[in-house]
Amino acid sequence: MSLDTVDKLVVFLAKRDGIDKLVKTFQYVAKLACWHVEATRPDAAERFKKWEVASGLSRKAFRTGRSLTGFNAMRRNPGATPVIRFLAVLANSGEMVYFFFDHFLWLSRIGTLDPKIAKKMSFISAFGESFGYVFFIIIDCIFIRQRLRSLKRLRTNDEPKEEVGGKVSEIQGDIVMRLMGISANVADLIIALAEIQPNPFCNHTVTLGISGLVSAWAGWYRNWPS
C-alpha cells in the first residue's frame, strides 16, 4: 500500500520521538534534582526548575501536529476485530484530544495566547490523555493474552524446533514491547491524574519524577532502532 500525504506527514513527525524521549528524561531528572536540593541549595534548585520548565515547553513544541497520529491510526489500522476497533477509536480519540489541546497549552504558557487559559487547556489535555491511555492499556493487555496463548500452542505442537524457535522469539519480542507500552502508559496516566485530580500520591515530586522517567525510558526501548 502506497503512502499518501497524511501517512508521509505522520512518518515525518514521528522522527522526533527520539529527541522527545531524551528531553523528557532531562525534564524529570531536573524535577527530581530540584526537589533534592531545594532545602539546602535554593540557587541550584531554581536552576534545575528552569531546566525542567524549558524541557517541558520544548517537548510541547516538538509535539506540534501529533494529533494527526491518532487520526491516521484509526484511518489506516483500525483493528482486526470489532472489540479492538472500538477500543482503538476510544484510545486514539483521547490521544487526539490530548495533543490538540496541548498545542494551546504551549501557546498560552509562552505568552502567545492569554496565560489565563493555560489551566483549562492543561485540564482538558490531561483528561484526554488519561482517557486514551486507559484504553491503550486494555488493548495491550488483550494482545498480551493472545500472544501467551499462541506461545502455549507453539510449545505443544510438532513443528521443527528451528521454526518454532523463530516464532517464539518473535512473539516474546512483541510481548516485551507491549509491556513497555503498558509501563509508559501507566506512568503517563499517573502524571495526567495529578493534573485532573490532585492528590498527595500522584502530585508528590518523587512520584511524578519516577513516572516521567519510566515513561521516557520505556519510550527509549520501544523507539530505539533495531
Side-chain angles (χ1 to χ4, degrees):
M1 181 174 59
S2 60
L3 300 180
D4 63 14
T5 303
V6 176
D7 292 313
K8 292 176 181 177
L9 181 59
V10 168
V11 171
F12 170 78
L13 293 171
K15 292 180 180 178
R16 291 175 292 181
D17 279 350
I19 190 65
D20 178 67
K21 302 310 176 190
L22 176 62
V23 178
K24 188 171 189 175
T25 301
F26 293 158
Q27 179 182 358
Y28 287 96
V29 165
K31 176 180 280 292
L32 289 171
C34 177
W35 170 77
H36 181 67
V37 302
E38 63 182 348
T40 56
R41 298 184 58 193
D43 55 331
E46 184 179 356
R47 289 196 293 270
F48 282 126
K49 185 64 178 178
K50 289 179 179 178
W51 187 20
E52 177 197 346
V53 172
S55 297
L57 290 175
S58 297
R59 291 185 60 233
K60 292 183 186 304
F62 292 148
R63 293 198 295 260
T64 301
R66 280 290 299 275
S67 54
L68 284 173
T69 304
F71 168 73
N72 207 47
M74 292 189 292
R75 193 173 68 104
R76 288 297 192 185
N77 187 26
T81 66
V83 171
I84 295 298
R85 284 195 288 272
F86 176 70
L87 292 172
V89 167
L90 295 175
N92 285 293
S93 296
E95 187 177 65
M96 288 167 64
V97 169
Y98 161 44
F99 284 124
F100 183 76
F101 284 94
D102 200 49
H103 302 334
F104 295 103
L105 174 59
W106 168 54
L107 291 172
S108 64
R109 284 187 173 166
I110 64 174
T112 303
L113 297 179
D114 187 351
K116 293 179 181 178
I117 70 170
K119 187 171 180 61
K120 186 174 183 179
M121 295 299 101
S122 180
F123 180 87
I124 296 172
S125 177
F127 183 85
E129 179 183 19
S130 58
F131 181 87
Y133 285 151
V134 166
F135 293 103
F136 278 125
I137 292 167
I138 293 171
I139 290 170
D140 277 331
C141 288
I142 290 172
F143 277 114
I144 287 173
R145 185 181 180 188
Q146 292 175 352
R147 299 297 186 266
L148 290 173
R149 288 176 175 173
S150 298
L151 278 178
K152 187 176 180 180
R153 286 196 299 269
L154 279 173
R155 287 167 174 163
T156 57
N157 66 20
D158 298 325
E159 291 185 37
K161 287 186 178 181
E162 295 79 8
E163 190 173 330
V164 171
K167 292 179 180 178
V168 167
S169 297
E170 182 180 345
I171 292 172
Q172 288 176 336
D174 184 64
I175 290 173
V176 171
M177 294 296 280
R178 292 190 181 279
L179 287 173
M180 290 296 103
I182 290 172
S183 299
N185 288 335
V186 169
D188 284 329
L189 179 59
I190 291 171
I191 295 171
L193 288 175
E195 177 64 33
I196 299 170
Q197 188 66 46
N199 61 83
F201 173 73
C202 290
N203 289 80
H204 195 285
T205 304
V206 174
T207 303
L208 291 172
I210 292 175
S211 296
L213 291 177
V214 167
S215 174
W217 292 341
W220 277 69
Y221 185 89
R222 297 176 73 197
N223 290 286
W224 193 258
S226 57

